[in-house]
Amino acid sequence: DDNILSLNTNVIKLSPSVSKEYQYLCNYITNNYNNSNIFIINDGSEQLTKMSKNIYDIINNLKKTSNANIYLNQPITLNNISKINEIMDISKENIFISLIKGEAQINNYLRILSNLSDKYDISVFGMKEWNNVEENIDYNYLKNIKLYLFSYFFIDYQSERVISFVEAYRQKYYA
C-alpha cells in the first residue's frame, strides 16, 4: 500500500508495484510515441484482461491531458490477434503493449508480429516476466520488430551519475 510508504519514513520499497510500472510505461509511450497506433494485447486471463483495461484507461486519460496524437485501440485478446493486420496502420508506428505469459504463447505472438513486420513498423513492449524466458525466444522473430523489456533494476553505465558513483567508489575502496 502506498500509504504505508508515504506515512512511514523508515519504510522503503526496493521495487515498484506492477501498477506503478505500467503507469510509467503508459507515461513513456504517451510522451515518446506521438502519431502512433497503440494496441494492448492480453492472453485472455482474467488478471491480464483487467490489467489491459486499466492500461487502456491510463493511456486514454494521459492522451486527453497531453494532447498526444495517438490512436488507442480497445484491448485485444491473443485469440483475436490473427485479424490485427486489418486495423494496423502502414503510415504509423504500431506499438504493442503485450500482457502475455507463457513461453509458447510469447513465441507464437512474436512469430505473428514478425510476419507482419515486412509491411508494418512494429514496436513491442513485453512484460518483465519475459526476461525469464528470453533465452527461449526465437531470435528470428526479433530481427524485424523492436522489442522492449522494461526493468526497474537496469543500470545505465553511460549516465553521469553512475560514472561519478563508480569513480567515487573505486577511489574510496581502492577497487
Side-chain angles (χ1 to χ4, degrees):
D1 189 1
D2 287 335
N3 288 335
I4 294 172
L5 292 172
S6 63
L7 299 175
N8 190 336
T9 58
N10 298 319
V11 176
I12 60 170
K13 187 170 186 173
L14 296 177
S15 62
S17 67
V18 172
S19 62
K20 277 288 187 210
E21 286 179 347
Y22 283 104
Q23 175 72 45
Y24 294 142
L25 176 65
C26 293
N27 284 331
Y28 178 80
I29 289 172
T30 305
N31 292 330
N32 294 290
Y33 289 93
N34 202 17
N35 197 30
S36 295
N37 197 16
I38 299 177
F39 299 93
I40 305 165
I41 311 295
N42 67 72
D43 65 9
S45 68
E46 184 178 332
Q47 176 191 18
L48 295 180
T49 299
K50 182 179 178 186
M51 190 181 298
S52 69
K53 289 177 183 169
N54 290 340
I55 289 171
Y56 177 86
D57 291 340
I58 291 168
I59 292 177
N60 210 22
N61 288 332
L62 288 170
K63 182 178 134 179
K64 289 175 189 172
T65 59
S66 70
N67 294 323
N69 184 26
I70 56 177
Y71 182 73
L72 182 62
N73 295 280
Q74 286 290 329
I76 300 168
T77 61
L78 193 54
N79 297 343
N80 298 323
I81 193 81
S82 61
K83 297 181 182 180
I84 196 80
N85 61 328
E86 295 171 8
I87 54 176
M88 290 177 72
D89 192 333
I90 291 175
S91 66
K92 297 181 179 186
E93 185 169 6
N94 294 278
I95 309 297
F96 288 84
I97 301 172
S98 311
L99 305 174
I100 298 168
K101 292 184 179 179
E103 200 174 307
Q105 284 189 323
I106 293 168
N107 269 314
N108 185 45
Y109 172 65
L110 292 175
R111 178 187 53 76
I112 292 167
L113 293 181
S114 177
N115 291 339
L116 293 169
S117 67
D118 292 339
K119 188 175 179 182
Y120 302 100
D121 184 12
I122 297 175
S123 292
V124 178
F125 287 85
M127 299 177 70
K128 70 179 179 183
E129 290 85 357
W130 288 21
N131 287 311
N132 300 333
V133 297
E134 187 176 11
E135 61 273 357
N136 297 322
I137 293 176
D138 188 339
Y139 288 103
N140 291 320
Y141 301 150
L142 304 181
K143 284 192 270 186
N144 302 319
I145 61 174
K146 293 171 252 169
L147 176 64
Y148 301 94
L149 301 177
F150 56 96
S151 171
Y152 58 85
F153 56 83
F154 175 74
I155 300 172
D156 181 6
Y157 286 100
Q158 306 301 315
S159 162
E160 288 296 322
R161 289 178 52 198
V162 173
I163 292 170
S164 175
F165 173 80
V166 169
E167 288 172 355
Y169 180 89
R170 287 178 179 161
Q171 189 174 19
K172 183 172 183 170
Y173 296 105
Y174 306 103

